[in-house]
Amino acid sequence: MAFPDSLILSADGTGSHPRFALLRRLLRRPSALCGLVLMAAILAMAVLAHPLYPDDPLDMVAAPFLHPGTDAAFPLGSDMLGRDLAAGIFHGARISLLIGVVAALVSLVIGIGIGALSGYYGGRIDAGLMRLTELFQTIPPFLFSLAIVAILQPSIATITGAIGITAWPGLARLVRAEVLKLRHSELVEASISLGASDARIILLHILPNVLAPIVVSASILVASAILSESSLAFLGLGDPNVVSWGGMVGAGREVIRTDWYVATIPGIAILAAVLALNLLGDGLNDALNRKGQRR
Amino acid sequence: MTANPPSAELATPDPLLSVRDLSVRFDTAEGPVHAVDGVSFDLKAGEILGLVGESGCGKSTLARAILRLVEPRAGSISLAGSDITHLSRRQLRGVRRQVQMVFQDPYSSLAPRWTVAELLTEPLVIHGVGDRAERRRHVGDLLDKVGLPADAAQRYPHEFSGGQRQRLGIARALALDPRLVVLDEPVSALDVSVQAQILNLLVELQRQSDIAFLFISHDLSVVEYLSDRVAVMYLGQIVEIADRDSLWRHPSHPYTRALLQAIPGNPPPSADDALKIEGDLPSPIAPPPGCRFHTRCPYAEQRCRIDNPALRTVAPGHQAACHLMRLS
Ligand SMILES: Nc1ncnc2c1ncn2[C@@H]1O[C@H](COP(=O)(O)OP(=O)(O)O)[C@@H](O)[C@H]1O
Ligand code: SF4
Ligand SMILES: [Mg+2]
C-alpha cells in the first residue's frame, strides 16, 4: 500500500488516525472502488483533453458519419458535421466536471450556511430561513434552472449558477436536522461554557460532526449537476461555445435510427459519470456511517 | 492605636455564587416542566457544595442554568457579587473564564477527533491566553495536575479509559484557573474503584487552591465524601441544606433521612425511625400541591397537602423545609 506503515490501522479501522481508516474502508467496497475507478478515468479524460486534442472539438475535421472503429485516427467516429466524437467526449468531460463541481460547491455553501444558521440559532432566524427553503422547494429545481438560463442566456457561468442556486434546499434541511441534534449536545454545551464564539462552535465543533452526510450529499450534488447541465444542453440551452455531452446527445438525437452511435456514445459518458458519483456517494455513506456507530 | 473592629463586610464577604429563587421551566408537548422551582443557595469561595437528589429532580437543569446554558424563567444568579442572570451571550464570555463545568460523560463533551493537547489548549486559545510555548507548557502542567502522563498530550480521547477521560474533562475545566467548577455527576458513569480515585483527585485539587466546587450526584454517599456543605433536592426544590456533619448527624427532612438510610451499612437509629421511600418521583409537569414530597412521605398530614413548607433554620447553617421538623 502507498501509506506509510505507521498510518495503517488495525483491520477494523479503530486505530488512531481516523482519516486513513475511512479510505481503507472505502476501498474495500467493490461498488465504491468501481465508482472511484470510473471517476478517475473521467478525471483523466478531462486532464488529457487539451494535450491529446489541442484543437477546438467543434471543428469539422473528418468526413461526416464516420462510424466508430472504421478510422484509427477517429476511434469513436465523427458526427453529421464531421466533428471528432472522441475529442468531444474528452473536452466534454472538462465541461461536465467543471460545471458539476462548481455548481455543487455553490449549493454546498448555500445549503450548509442556511442549514447551520437555521439549526444553531433556531427561533425567528430558523423560521425565516426555512420559509425561504420551502419557497425554493415549491419549484422543481430543473425547471427553475431552465427558466433562469433561458432568461439570462446560456453560458458556463449562468448554467453553473442556475444549477447551483436551485439545488441546495435538500442539503439545507439535512444540515439543519443534524445541527439541531448537536445543538444541545454536551459537546456544544462544553464549548459554550468554555466561552467559545458561535462561529467557532459551528465551524470547529458542529460542522466536522456533520461532515459525513455532507460528503455523501456532495457527490450526489455533483452527479445531479452534471445531469442537469447535460439536460439543459440537450434542450439547446448549453453554452454554444463549448462542447457538452448533453449537447452531443441532443445533436445525435435526429439520426438515432441510422447512426445510433452519435447520441449513444456521449450518453454513455453521462451515464458513467453519474453512476460513478452515485456509487461513490453510496460507498462513502456506508463507510462513514459505520464510523458514526462507533462514536 | 485604634483597634479595627471587624467590618460587617469582612465578616460576611459576598458569596462566590449566589442563587436566588431560581426557576427554570421547559415548555413541552405535555405541558410546562417545572424542572427547577424557586431554588436559593450560596456557595462560598473555596467551598465544596454537594447537590444530591434522585434522577430527574432538576440537578442538571440547575447546573446548566448557573452556567447560563438554559435561560431561567425567574430568579437571579450572582457571581462574586455581580448579577449575571441577564448578561448577553457576548458579555458572558468573559464571565465564563471563572465558572467551568465538568460533564457526566466526558466522551461526549470532548471532541473525538481532537488530540488531548488540542482539547486542553482550546480554552486558552478562546480567551487568548499565552503563546504557543506557554500553552504547550500549560498542557503539561494540567496533565500532571490530574495525574495523567505527559505523553497523553498527543493521543485522542477514545484511547483513554472512562476514569482517564474524566481526568481530561477535569483538566480542561481547570485550564483557565476558574473560581468555580460545576461538576454534574462526574463519577456516576464510572466503576466504584475509579470513582474513589476521581473523588480523591478532586479533594486534592481543591485543597491546593481556593477553587469552589458545586458537586452534583444522585448518590448521597459520594456527595458526603467530599462536600463541606450538602443541599438535598427534591422535584425542583431544595428541601434541606446544611454543613455535611450537621446533615449527617441531624437530618431534618424525611426525604434526607430516607436517603441516608438507603446508604448501605447505615441503619436507622431506631426501628421507629425506619423510613423507606416508595413509588416514583412525581411528574414535574404537574407537581403535587403543598409539600412536593407528600405523595411519598410516611408522615404526611393534611396541611402537607395544601401548604408547601418553606426552608426554615433548624440549627446554625442548617435549613430544612418540612412542617413536622424536629428542632434540634
Ligand atoms: N431540555 C429539556 N426539555 C424538556 N424537559 C427537560 C429538559 N431538560 C430536562 N428536562 C426535564 O426536567 C426535569 C429535570 O431534569 P434534569 O435537570 O436532567 O434532572 P437530573 O439532572 O436531576 O436528573 C426532568 O423531568 C427532565 O425530563
Ligand atoms: S411537609 Fe409533610 S409531607 Fe412534606 S416532608 Fe414534611 S411531613 Fe412529609
Ligand atoms: Mg442530571
Side-chain angles (χ1 to χ4, degrees):
Chain A
M1 295 282 304
F3 309 126
D5 257 337
S6 61
L7 289 177
I8 297 194
L9 310 165
S10 49
D12 61 345
T14 53
S16 62
H17 211 297
R19 252 157 267 165
F20 288 91
L22 174 65
L23 191 57
R24 301 190 75 207
R25 272 203 299 276
L26 192 60
L27 291 177
R28 227 178 299 130
R29 257 157 250 271
S31 63
L33 190 62
C34 241
L36 215 56
V37 169
L38 262 178
M39 232 19 250
I42 293 167
L43 205 64
M45 290 202 301
V47 171
L48 292 176
H50 271 302
L52 288 183
Y53 301 98
D55 298 325
D56 188 342
L58 295 174
D59 287 350
M60 302 168 207
V61 290
F65 295 125
L66 211 53
H67 277 238
T70 48
D71 185 337
F74 305 101
L76 296 180
S78 68
D79 69 2
M80 59 291 268
L81 293 176
R83 293 177 295 207
D84 183 355
L85 280 183
I89 295 293
F90 274 61
H91 281 270
R94 289 174 59 89
I95 299 304
S96 285
L97 283 184
L98 176 73
I99 293 182
V101 168
V102 176
L105 281 178
V106 171
S107 301
L108 281 172
V109 169
I110 303 176
I112 294 172
I114 288 187
L117 293 177
S118 218
Y120 186 79
Y121 287 107
R124 233 178 284 163
I125 294 179
D126 182 31
L129 291 176
M130 280 303 109
R131 179 64 59 83
L132 181 73
T133 309
E134 275 159 27
L135 197 72
F136 268 77
Q137 273 184 320
T138 52
I139 312 165
F142 180 70
L143 288 185
F144 203 166
S145 6
L146 189 88
I148 296 175
V149 174
I151 292 166
L152 294 180
Q153 299 304 319
S155 74
I156 292 189
T158 56
I159 293 168
T160 308
I163 295 172
I165 216 164
T166 53
W168 57 267
L171 179 67
R173 285 182 175 283
L174 181 88
V175 171
R176 174 179 175 272
E178 295 288 324
V179 171
L180 220 48
K181 269 191 249 165
L182 285 166
R183 177 65 183 85
H184 296 285
S185 67
E186 291 199 345
L187 186 71
V188 169
E189 294 205 330
S191 307
I192 295 176
S193 54
L194 288 177
S197 63
D198 292 344
R200 184 180 177 88
I201 293 171
I202 293 174
L203 293 175
L204 293 186
H205 291 292
I206 294 186
L207 287 183
N209 288 297
V210 184
L211 209 56
I214 290 178
V215 167
V216 174
S217 307
S219 61
I220 305 301
L221 276 174
V222 176
S224 70
I226 288 179
L227 203 56
S228 296
E229 184 274 333
S230 299
S231 310
L232 286 172
F234 175 83
L235 295 175
L237 285 171
D239 187 328
N241 303 314
V242 296
V243 63
S244 151
W245 291 342
M248 290 167 74
V249 176
R253 175 182 47 168
E254 286 147 35
V255 296
I256 191 98
R257 280 169 209 279
T258 48
D259 303 284
W260 56 272
Y261 68 92
V262 181
T264 308
I265 288 173
I268 290 171
I270 297 170
L271 184 73
V274 172
L275 184 70
L277 285 160
N278 276 288
L279 288 176
L280 210 56
D282 260 8
L284 280 169
N285 194 26
D286 290 351
L288 287 163
N289 277 342
R290 247 199 42 200
K291 184 148 149 263
Q293 282 163 11
R294 201 159 49 82
R295 248 271 279 141
Chain B
M1 196 181 115
T2 49
N4 263 342
S7 75
E9 227 184 306
L10 273 177
T12 50
D14 267 341
L16 177 62
L17 174 72
S18 181
V19 173
R20 286 291 168 272
D21 301 318
L22 194 70
S23 294
V24 180
R25 217 171 76 189
F26 297 110
D27 290 317
T28 66
E30 288 84 47
V33 177
H34 304 267
V36 174
D37 198 1
V39 165
S40 301
F41 66 89
D42 286 339
L43 176 51
K44 289 196 287 260
E47 185 179 55
I48 302 184
L49 174 66
L51 179 66
V52 69
E54 286 167 87
S55 162
C57 74
K59 305 180 298 293
S60 296
T61 305
L62 177 57
R64 292 167 65 222
I66 291 169
L67 277 118
R68 290 283 315 273
L69 293 171
V70 290
E71 289 309 305
R73 188 58 59 124
S76 70
I77 306 153
S78 303
L79 192 70
S82 65
D83 190 332
I84 62 163
T85 327
H86 303 293
L87 293 188
S88 70
R89 294 187 59 146
R90 194 175 290 272
Q91 290 170 314
L92 270 173
R93 289 183 57 198
V95 174
R96 297 207 182 279
R97 275 187 80 157
Q98 301 182 39
V99 188
Q100 289 290 302
M101 178 135 177
V102 173
F103 294 84
Q104 169 170 358
D105 178 1
Y107 199 37
S108 59
S109 55
L110 300 171
R113 291 178 192 81
W114 290 32
T115 64
V116 167
E118 288 166 340
L119 289 167
L120 294 186
T121 41
E122 193 187 18
L124 307 176
V125 173
I126 289 171
H127 292 276
V129 178
D131 56 27
R132 280 178 77 108
E134 281 164 350
R135 286 175 191 162
R136 195 166 331 120
R137 215 170 319 124
H138 198 64
V139 168
D141 292 347
L142 284 170
L143 288 174
D144 187 50
K145 233 183 193 172
V146 299
L148 287 174
D151 66 15
Q154 294 318 316
R155 284 151 64 193
Y156 292 88
H158 72 83
E159 298 176 58
F160 296 87
S161 68
Q164 288 173 322
R165 265 180 224 153
Q166 197 51 287
R167 286 172 194 265
L168 290 175
I170 293 167
R172 183 170 65 170
L174 296 178
L176 292 166
D177 223 351
R179 302 182 65 186
L180 169 64
V181 178
V182 177
L183 302 108
D184 189 4
E185 311 243 16
V187 299
S188 302
L190 305 177
D191 292 342
V192 177
S193 59
V194 183
Q195 285 193 4
Q197 293 168 16
I198 298 289
L199 293 177
N200 286 331
L201 170 70
L202 290 172
V203 170
E204 209 174 292
L205 288 169
Q206 201 270 341
R207 226 177 262 148
Q208 289 164 9
S209 61
D210 72 336
I211 196 167
F213 288 154
L214 175 59
F215 182 94
I216 297 173
S217 176
H218 63 272
D219 184 344
L220 185 53
S221 59
V222 167
V223 164
E224 198 273 329
Y225 178 77
L226 85 171
S227 303
D228 301 315
R229 278 170 72 72
V230 175
V232 179
M233 200 166 169
Y234 186 81
L235 214 55
Q237 300 183 332
I238 288 182
V239 295
E240 183 157 11
I241 180 166
D243 291 342
R244 188 244 320 249
D245 293 339
S246 185
L247 188 93
W248 191 254
R249 291 206 200 99
H250 313 291
S252 299
H253 196 280
Y255 182 59
T256 313
R257 293 216 292 279
L259 286 181
L260 280 168
Q261 287 176 22
I263 297 175
N266 200 24
S270 69
D272 273 359
D273 258 348
L275 248 174
K276 202 162 175 178
I277 302 302
E278 268 147 8
D280 291 329
L281 191 69
S283 160
I285 292 177
C291 173
R292 292 189 161 193
F293 187 52
H294 83 247
T295 55
R296 297 161 89 191
C297 179
Y299 307 122
E301 48 181 52
Q302 192 49 37
R303 64 173 157 168
C304 303
R305 297 183 185 92
I306 302 159
D307 248 4
N308 192 7
L311 275 174
R312 283 185 297 149
T313 301
V314 239
H318 189 150
Q319 296 174 296
C322 171
H323 291 307
L324 303 187
M325 222 146 42
R326 295 182 293 191
L327 296 176
S328 51

